[in-house]
Amino acid sequence: MKTGSPNPAREALAANLRKARGERNLSQEALAELAGIHRNYLGGIERCERNVGLDNLQKLALALGVSVAELVS
């Protein structure tokens, strides 16, 4: 669930994920499939509701063809 206080790291990740996904014309479902994660989990990340683990962050970066650093900066 989303916490009451904003989390700048989650917000940056969410914005960068949406931007990279949009630039590649990928739906959440398509990106989730490419990354091997559940689409509801991806939606939760993009809504700042999920605290993504490093393994899943790496999967998303690889699926998007970007570095982990690009996703979290």
Side-chain angles (χ1 to χ4, degrees):
M1 286 191 175
K2 191 171 183 176
T3 62
S5 60
N7 183 313
R10 283 187 191 177
E11 290 171 358
L13 173 60
N16 291 336
L17 269 176
R18 284 190 302 269
K19 181 180 178 207
R21 188 171 57 76
E23 289 171 349
R24 290 156 183 78
N25 295 315
L26 292 171
S27 65
Q28 283 184 347
E29 186 171 5
L31 176 55
E33 186 173 325
L34 287 172
I37 63 175
H38 197 280
R39 63 183 172 83
N40 291 341
Y41 181 70
L42 176 57
I45 296 168
E46 289 191 359
R47 290 187 306 275
C48 300
E49 296 172 349
R50 299 281 184 162
N51 186 20
V52 64
L54 289 174
D55 290 345
N56 288 327
L57 188 56
Q58 179 68 38
K59 288 178 183 180
L60 288 165
L62 288 171
L64 290 166
V66 299
S67 69
V68 170
E70 287 178 82
L71 288 180
V72 297
S73 64

